[in-house]
Amino acid sequence: MPIDILMPALSPTMEEGNLARWLVKEGDSVSSGDVLAEIETDKATMEVEAVDEGVIGKILVDAGTENVKVNAKIAVLLEEGEDASAIGSGSSDAAPQAAPTAAATEAAPSAPAPAPAAPQASAGPAPVSGGNRLFASPLARRLAKIEGLDLAKIAGTGPHGRIVKRDIEEAVKGGSAKAGAAAPAPAPAAAPAAAPQGMSDDAVLKLFAEGSYEIKPHDNMRKTIAKRLTESSQTIPSYFLSVDCELDGLMKLRAEVNGSAPMVGEKPAFKVSVNDFIIKALALGLKAVPEANASWTDGGMVVHKHADIGVAVAIEGGLITPIVQQAEMKTLSAISNEVKDLASRAKSRKLAPAEYQGGTTAVSNLGMFGVKEFTSIINPPHASIVSIGAGNQRAVVKNGELVAATVMTATFAFDHRVIDGAVGAQLAAAFKDYLENPMSMLV
């Protein structure tokens, strides 16, 4: 009998994802282990493999569909000897999904029913022109009204010939689909998105029609960031500690370490950054102050045996924190190469969930942007995070004399449920000591 292919849960916390791309089409034969599709989660793009062999009988969710619920039916696989008639009328509808956003509707419509001559749009009743239904996304309809365009004069380039946003934009450029120069465009009944605070819907529509701004729908990553950081700010009683760390000795040692790197072809085997020293110093600080290497749960305190350090990486549309596992046990060169690899794959959204979930604490470094100091929001389940500012020349007093030194400010945020003030201060002091005596990180 036909086998349902369901939207997989690619991580323990995943509730929905975007079906980015199908790598097979209806009628293709597949074997166990073949890659069927690419699924976008809030942090990464993952491949979905077949677990059975057979023929793709029907694809129920189009490529580009967003917010597909976990365990929703996305396709049907036919076993040997079966044909499309075995799917049955009840197999053509995907499991219930969250209502699509404007961007989701723009990307692809819901799956069409198997029998009708024209595909069934998901956006409700469509206008009729010459006896033929016109299929257009809700966003395309609203934009067409704003621009005074006749949908009947626009060729759709979306799935199944559907009119989508880009078609409206092309029609506006061409100027060939105007419903009538004398007739003003009718105002839609609702704004294309929620009005910014303090603005009426009419004001939003006016600005939108004039091209003064555009509404950019939230993607899954931005929704997850908003949810987790709101949860953090509302539920974690945080406090902050700052320490100034002199880096002159570290900078000198870094130059020596990089100068001693063996060559692999025409490139050195590694190039250690200041941030690599910071990761190592934090890991060794947690080893020296194990009480700070903990996380909060309602059932008890989780005390970690290793220092798994998250490294904040800015990617298009958001932020991800890949984890350097057991950083206290790794050399600076190993940390350096691992961070480069994780950051590169993070930016292309190719990290596995295990590479960015969990961890014990995190480093957020904005020093390269010239930021002197700042505070970060703790990312659960972590109970701490350290914010790194720029290292710059400052006047300091040494042996009663005013001299110049390279100084960096590090600001810790701690979850007071887990890490009391004295423990947090001990970790900050240990971190500072390792950075100011960097040779201790090489032994």
Side-chain angles (χ1 to χ4, degrees):
M1 62 180 296
I3 301 169
D4 292 335
I5 300 175
L6 306 180
M7 183 70 167
L10 301 176
S11 70
T13 59
M14 177 176 168
E15 297 179 355
E16 58 185 31
N18 302 335
L19 206 161
R21 182 162 71 111
W22 281 105
L23 302 177
V24 295
K25 60 183 182 298
E26 293 180 2
D28 284 357
S29 297
V30 299
S31 301
S32 178
D34 288 350
V35 178
L36 302 180
E38 292 181 351
I39 304 296
E40 291 180 351
T41 67
D42 58 326
K43 298 290 188 181
T45 299
M46 309 290 291
E47 294 179 339
V48 177
E49 297 181 354
V51 295
D52 296 286
E53 61 180 25
V55 174
I56 301 296
K58 192 166 190 61
I59 290 176
L60 303 175
V61 177
D62 290 324
T65 302
E66 298 184 352
N67 304 327
V68 182
K69 292 289 188 182
V70 167
N71 292 328
K73 192 189 304 182
I74 59 175
V76 177
L77 186 70
L78 298 174
E79 295 186 300
E80 184 178 358
E82 294 180 330
D83 57 28
S85 63
I87 296 175
S89 59
S91 297
S92 63
D93 295 323
Q97 301 177 15
T101 63
T105 309
E106 188 65 34
S110 298
Q120 179 68 38
S122 64
V128 177
S129 175
N132 296 321
R133 293 184 64 185
L134 294 175
F135 295 96
S137 72
L139 180 56
R141 294 179 190 280
R142 288 195 290 267
L143 294 178
K145 286 183 179 181
I146 289 172
E147 297 293 343
L149 301 180
D150 183 355
L151 289 174
K153 298 180 180 179
I154 300 174
T157 61
H160 309 293
R162 198 178 205 205
I163 299 170
V164 294
K165 177 185 176 184
R166 62 175 173 268
D167 302 322
I168 302 298
E169 293 172 341
E170 289 300 318
V172 171
K173 292 178 183 178
S176 60
K178 288 290 183 179
Q197 185 176 4
M199 294 183 67
S200 67
D201 287 353
D202 288 342
V204 171
L205 286 173
K206 183 175 184 295
L207 288 174
F208 190 74
E210 293 172 350
S212 300
Y213 80 102
E214 62 177 336
I215 300 295
K216 184 177 181 181
H218 303 305
D219 61 13
N220 282 356
M221 174 179 288
R222 184 53 54 186
K223 290 177 182 177
T224 300
I225 290 172
K227 179 180 177 181
R228 290 176 63 83
L229 296 187
T230 299
E231 173 192 356
S232 175
S233 63
Q234 292 178 345
T235 63
I236 295 180
S238 303
Y239 68 96
F240 305 95
L241 299 176
S242 293
V243 289
D244 288 336
C245 308
E246 294 186 21
L247 300 182
D248 294 292
L250 186 151
M251 300 298 289
K252 180 180 178 181
L253 178 63
R254 173 177 175 261
E256 294 174 356
V257 169
N258 287 336
S260 67
M263 301 299 291
V264 178
E266 297 181 355
K267 295 183 178 181
F270 57 84
K271 186 177 181 180
V272 177
S273 69
V274 173
N275 206 52
D276 299 326
F277 278 93
I278 289 168
I279 293 167
K280 179 72 172 182
L282 182 57
L284 292 176
L286 289 172
K287 183 178 179 181
V289 188
E291 301 93 332
N293 196 23
S295 299
W296 173 268
T297 69
D298 291 337
M301 203 84 74
V302 178
V303 180
H304 303 281
K305 295 182 179 180
H306 294 287
D308 300 330
I309 310 296
V311 183
V313 176
I315 63 176
E316 184 177 358
L319 184 76
I320 190 169
T321 309
I323 309 296
V324 179
Q325 306 284 346
Q326 301 183 16
E328 82 281 6
M329 302 176 65
K330 294 178 177 176
T331 63
L332 285 164
S333 60
I335 290 173
S336 177
N337 288 335
E338 184 173 342
V339 169
K340 287 181 176 66
D341 172 62
L342 289 171
S344 174
R345 289 190 291 114
K347 291 177 180 178
S348 59
R349 300 200 179 194
K350 295 298 182 183
L351 292 177
E355 294 179 302
Y356 61 82
Q357 293 179 345
T360 60
T361 188
V363 173
S364 180
N365 191 338
L366 295 180
M368 68 286 295
F369 299 106
V371 175
K372 182 180 179 182
E373 59 182 291
F374 66 105
T375 58
S376 299
I377 299 175
I378 296 170
N379 184 26
H382 300 170
S384 62
I385 186 170
V386 61
S387 306
I388 304 298
N392 47 44
Q393 290 283 298
R394 303 184 200 175
V396 299
V397 177
K398 290 186 177 181
N399 300 321
E401 296 183 356
L402 194 64
V403 297
T406 304
V407 179
M408 175 195 80
T409 300
T411 302
F412 287 82
F414 292 111
D415 182 346
H416 214 320
R417 299 173 301 176
V418 183
I419 303 171
D420 292 329
V423 175
Q426 291 174 39
L427 176 61
F431 174 78
K432 173 183 169 73
D433 186 63
Y434 277 114
L435 289 182
E436 295 186 345
N437 298 279
M439 282 296 296
S440 61
M441 290 189 270
L442 302 183
V443 296

